[in-house]
Amino acid sequence: MSFTLAIVGRPNVGKSTLFNRLVGRKLALVDDQPGVTRDLREGQGRLGDLRFIVIDSAGLEMAEDDSLQGRMRRLTERAVDEADVVLFVIDARVGVTAADEYFADILRRRARHVILAANKAEGRAGEAGALEAYGLGLGEPLRISAEHGEGLEDIYAVLKPLA
Ligand code: GDP
Ligand code: MG
């Protein structure tokens, strides 16, 4: 069975880097600067023997006249409603922010399945941030590095039974 996985989280946590890794191509722009990508982007994801549709909630990076938070909420809700599984990404190096807590609250109420990933955790970086993420109440944070391809087997292990 195929399923849809939506990657959500505040800007700059590494959503597009993870999207590109799952899709295996650089469909999404990765940038240090906000404002490079638009809306929701879809691709064919693969992880081991799993095949699925992956959505990058790219529009969060857009600077619009309405508030970032309002835009984040609308895009997240759209992605969540279209997805069977939500992959919620935080930046383990930064730790949990107010925006992360705001997202977590939406996801707890709205999403069917949430996988919490603490990204940028290559090496020993982000240990504290990943621990903090337990406090979001979304289960065990998976320590991953989208850039270095680390921790993807843990995502696989959680996805496999849902597929
Ligand atoms: P998005 O705004 O959430 O889509 O984030 P991007 O994928 O555009 O990445 C934002 C920045 O974080 C870029 O400079 C990426 O190179 C960097 N980044 C993404 N994943 C990792 C990671 O696993 N480790 C580190 N150190 N940097 C990362
Ligand atoms: Mg992006």
Side-chain angles (χ1 to χ4, degrees):
M1 198 199 87
S2 184
F3 60 94
T4 301
L5 175 77
I7 304 174
V8 303
R10 63 180 182 76
N12 216 42
V13 295
K15 296 181 300 298
S16 296
T17 306
L18 185 58
F19 174 89
N20 285 335
R21 198 163 269 286
L22 292 173
V23 169
R25 280 185 295 151
K26 303 229 156 152
L27 286 184
L29 283 172
V30 173
D31 205 330
D32 297 319
Q33 302 302 317
V36 292
T37 46
R38 288 173 175 273
D39 292 313
L40 300 178
R41 181 176 293 100
E42 250 185 56
Q44 293 276 353
R46 51 191 301 167
L47 197 52
D49 59 351
L50 299 176
R51 301 288 179 273
F52 48 91
I53 294 165
V54 55
I55 300 174
D56 180 14
S57 49
L60 300 181
E61 287 87 4
M62 276 185 82
E64 286 259 315
D65 40 346
D66 65 341
S67 75
L68 178 64
Q69 193 173 70
R71 198 173 164 75
M72 273 171 32
R73 180 176 48 71
R74 280 194 302 282
L75 264 176
T76 302
E77 287 173 353
R78 243 177 74 202
V80 165
D81 292 346
E82 286 178 24
D84 300 298
V85 188
V86 173
L87 187 52
F88 177 42
V89 183
I90 69 151
D91 183 330
R93 293 175 183 226
V94 172
V96 172
T97 69
D100 293 329
E101 282 169 357
Y102 179 81
F103 263 87
D105 194 50
I106 296 174
L107 296 178
R108 271 196 308 270
R109 285 183 281 116
R110 197 157 178 134
R112 270 160 283 188
H113 297 286
V114 182
I115 301 173
L116 173 58
N119 189 38
K120 310 194 186 181
E122 64 266 16
R124 294 180 55 88
E127 280 181 358
L131 278 177
E132 230 177 88
Y134 273 99
L136 290 170
L138 290 168
E140 183 186 351
L142 306 180
R143 294 184 63 220
I144 68 164
S145 171
E147 198 153 275
H148 297 265
E150 294 173 15
L152 297 178
E153 63 285 353
D154 293 333
I155 295 176
Y156 173 87
V158 179
L159 282 179
K160 181 70 176 168
L162 302 176

